């Protein structure tokens, strides 16, 4: 019996993740017509069996995927010739952009008389490796018709357990990704900050990494970024600093628009800007460890004060730093997702299967979500078996002082401590540490 040939897919944007996504579709037997402004990438795509389009218009097919980096690039890709897409085409917008922008795309298509196009708001997460494997996390939203039309492609590009259909229509997928990027932005810098502190405390960097990824300080980002810190390999980038800076900017700009505080993400954004001003923008975001060091990461900083404690004690300080940051990051992201009107339980599922995952989010997140609406302090006091705000303040204070002793800046560490101190100042010191989410509760 003859098999039905697979449809040709137009693919715009063959960057680090886009190339992997397009190559995966080629491996699955789809004819994929790719377009990118960088000629060497086009040649590389030809080498792996892809077809190349000479112009954006030439890349327009009945099924078209857009995976460019910025809203300006999306605008160019979609509206340089909006009539290029065939009638009743399905358009998958996989780029990370503000939800208000994706909604404006839908409105512009309607104004141009192209409401026949089925638009899917479906940003992705997972990095270049998972893109090439077809195991991305995807947060998809749109009309029932659009989702149904695009579902086979969404399933080809994602792990089936990591495809989230987000209710709420166009914009909801981008809101889900934006709330997720709160964690991504914080965790990437936290990985750099922790490894910088480990070096300043004269710890063996490889052993420090192993201890971290097997502890409550684990995060996807730390496990993913830290090998590049050990190799000191920042070019070509697996994920450029400019990408996470752009994503952090989306979070903070939308948070300002919605009058929502994001202290940790805002701190991370400022440090990313500092790296950008030092010429690190096109390099891997794991290279930010250099902001914490006076010499290459392979050469531990021999500090008399750092060496005055045994290595186990110093390692516990590094783990406490990450645990405290990740605790506050989980709270900031959950509170923001709730503020955006997202389903907290679905948000939790997305995070735990995506690049924003951490041990702390997995463990504390459900408790934060379950008690989001509990405003009385007594409802957060659970006895001695749980860590408290007071114990978190104590451990983070010890980390901050140890870092100060070895002249190591802790941007996120200090921001997290101040959030915890605020809760203590409000009298929540005896409450469980997951009550840190109440920092964002206007009813406290």
């Amino acid at each position: 019996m003859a098999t039905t040939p697979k449809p040709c897919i137009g693919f715009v944007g063959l960057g680090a993740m886009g190339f992997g996504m397009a190559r995966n579709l080629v491996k699955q037997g789809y004819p994929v017509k790719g377009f990118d402004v960088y000629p060497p990438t086009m040649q590389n795509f030809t080498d792996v069996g892809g077809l190349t389009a000479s112009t954006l218009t030439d890349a327009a097919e009945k099924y078209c995927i857009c995976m460019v980096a910025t809203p300006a690039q999306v605008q160019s890709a979609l509206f340089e010739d909006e009539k290029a897409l065939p009638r009743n085409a399905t358009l998958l917008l996989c780029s990370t952009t503000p939800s208000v922008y994706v909604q404006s795309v839908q409105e512009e298509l309607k104004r141009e008389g192209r409401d026949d196009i089925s638009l899917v708001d479906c940003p992705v997460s997972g990095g270049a490796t998972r893109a090439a494997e077809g195991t991305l996390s995807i947060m998809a939203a749109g009309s029932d018709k659009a989702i149904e039309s695009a579902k086979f492609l969404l399933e080809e590009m994602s792990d089936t357990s990591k495809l989230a259909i987000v209710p709420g229509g166009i914009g909801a997928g981008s809101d889900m990704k934006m709330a997720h990027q709160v964690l991504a932005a914080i965790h990437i810098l936290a990985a750099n900050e922790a490894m910088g502190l480990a070096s300043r405390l004269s710890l063996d960097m490889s052993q420090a990494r192993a201890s971290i990824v097997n502890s409550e300080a684990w995060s996807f980002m730390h496990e993913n970024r830290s090998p590049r810190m050990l190799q000191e390999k920042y070019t070509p980038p697996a994920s450029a600093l400019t990408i996470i800076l752009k994503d952090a900017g989306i979070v903070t700009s939308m948070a300002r628009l919605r009058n929502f505080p994001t202290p940790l993400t805002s701190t991370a954004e400022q440090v990313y800007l500092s790296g950008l001003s030092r010429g690190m923008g096109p390099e891997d975001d794991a290279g930010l460890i250099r902001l914490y060091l006076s010499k290459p990461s392979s050469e531990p900083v021999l500090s008399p004060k750092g060496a005055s404690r045994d290595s186990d004690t110093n390692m516990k300080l590094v783990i406490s730093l990450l645990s405290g940051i990740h605790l506050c990051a989980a709270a900031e992201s959950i509170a923001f997702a709730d503020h955006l009107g997202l389903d907290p339980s679905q948000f939790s599922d997305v995070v735990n299967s995506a690049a924003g995952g951490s041990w702390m989010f997995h463990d504390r997140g459900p408790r934060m979500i379950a008690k989001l609406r509990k405003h009385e302090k007594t409802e957060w006091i659970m006895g001695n078996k749980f860590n408290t705000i007071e114990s978190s303040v104590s451990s983070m204070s010890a980390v901050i002082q140890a870092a100060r002793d070895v002249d190591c800046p802790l941007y996120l560490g200090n921001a997290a401590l101040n959030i915890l101190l605020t809760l203590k100042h409000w009298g929540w010191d005896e409450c469980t540490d997951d009550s840190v989410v109440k920092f964002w509760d206007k009813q406290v």
Side-chain angles (χ1 to χ4, degrees), residues 56-109:
L56 285 168
T57 300
D58 189 34
E61 296 289 338
K62 183 174 180 181
Y63 296 96
C64 191
I65 298 170
C66 186
M67 188 58 190
V68 295
T70 67
Q73 291 172 335
V74 172
Q75 196 71 9
S76 174
L78 298 186
F79 298 108
E80 183 175 279
D81 183 0
E82 72 279 352
K83 295 183 175 59
L85 284 171
R87 296 288 302 174
N88 301 312
T90 298
L91 175 61
L92 285 73
L93 184 53
C94 296
S95 306
T96 299
T97 63
S99 56
V100 290
Y101 175 73
V102 188
Q103 291 163 345
S104 77
V105 168
Q106 183 180 45
E107 291 304 313
E108 189 160 354
L109 287 171

Side-chain angles (χ1 to χ4, degrees), residues 34 206 311:
S206 294
S311 59

Side-chain angles (χ1 to χ4, degrees), residues 246-274:
K246 181 262 295 183
D247 289 0
I250 290 173
V251 173
T252 57
S253 63
M254 289 298 292
R256 289 192 297 272
L257 187 65
R258 295 170 182 259
N259 297 313
F260 187 87
T262 52
L264 289 178
T265 313
S266 298
T267 298
E269 181 185 25
Q270 295 307 305
V271 180
Y272 293 146
L273 285 169
S274 181

Side-chain angles (χ1 to χ4, degrees), residues 45-59:
F45 190 53
T46 300
D47 293 343
V48 300
L51 308 172
T52 57
S54 56
T55 65
L56 285 168
T57 300
D58 189 34

Side-chain angles (χ1 to χ4, degrees), residues 27-296:
K27 286 167 58 179
Q28 301 308 317
Y30 292 88
V32 181
K33 190 183 288 187
F35 177 80
D36 196 273
V37 295
Y38 188 53
T41 297
M42 298 281 277
Q43 181 58 54
N44 290 341
F45 190 53
T46 300
D47 293 343
V48 300
L51 308 172
T52 57
S54 56
T55 65
L56 285 168
T57 300
D58 189 34
E61 296 289 338
K62 183 174 180 181
Y63 296 96
C64 191
I65 298 170
C66 186
M67 188 58 190
V68 295
T70 67
Q73 291 172 335
V74 172
Q75 196 71 9
S76 174
L78 298 186
F79 298 108
E80 183 175 279
D81 183 0
E82 72 279 352
K83 295 183 175 59
L85 284 171
R87 296 288 302 174
N88 301 312
T90 298
L91 175 61
L92 285 73
L93 184 53
C94 296
S95 306
T96 299
T97 63
S99 56
V100 290
Y101 175 73
V102 188
Q103 291 163 345
S104 77
V105 168
Q106 183 180 45
E107 291 304 313
E108 189 160 354
L109 287 171
K110 288 180 180 177
R111 285 196 303 271
E112 297 293 336
R114 292 309 311 268
D115 51 358
D116 61 287
I117 294 173
S118 293
L119 176 64
V120 183
D121 168 26
C122 51
V124 302
S125 175
T129 299
R130 280 172 50 186
E133 295 170 346
T135 58
L136 288 168
S137 297
I138 302 182
M139 295 137 259
S143 68
D144 292 344
K145 174 187 173 186
I147 294 294
E148 185 60 33
S149 178
K151 196 166 187 181
F152 76 99
L153 280 175
L154 296 170
E155 291 174 343
E156 293 281 21
M157 296 187 293
S158 68
D159 185 305
T160 52
S161 65
K162 297 174 182 176
L163 173 58
I165 307 301
V166 185
I170 295 298
S174 288
D175 274 345
M176 183 70 78
K177 176 65 185 291
M178 178 173 61
H180 172 273
Q181 290 309 93
V182 168
L183 292 159
I186 297 167
H187 289 175
I188 288 171
L189 184 60
N192 284 277
E193 190 157 295
M195 294 298 277
L197 177 61
S199 180
R200 291 272 186 172
L201 293 175
S202 303
L203 290 169
D204 178 275
M205 298 289 274
S206 294
Q207 291 179 11
R209 178 188 184 271
S211 295
I212 290 167
V213 300
N214 289 293
S215 75
E216 65 269 24
W218 174 86
S219 74
F220 173 95
M221 289 301 187
H222 199 286
E223 185 169 359
N224 182 268
R225 267 38 176 202
S226 52
R228 303 200 285 277
M229 299 176 201
L230 298 179
Q231 298 163 5
E232 299 178 73
K233 188 175 188 303
Y234 310 127
T235 56
S239 186
L241 172 60
T242 50
I243 299 298
I244 193 59
L245 173 59
K246 181 262 295 183
D247 289 0
I250 290 173
V251 173
T252 57
S253 63
M254 289 298 292
R256 289 192 297 272
L257 187 65
R258 295 170 182 259
N259 297 313
F260 187 87
T262 52
L264 289 178
T265 313
S266 298
T267 298
E269 181 185 25
Q270 295 307 305
V271 180
Y272 293 146
L273 285 169
S274 181
L276 184 71
S277 70
R278 288 165 170 76
M280 299 179 184
E283 298 176 358
D284 198 278
D285 54 32
L288 282 172
I289 189 174
R290 292 168 290 179
L291 296 178
Y292 299 86
L293 304 176
S294 58
K295 55 177 66 178

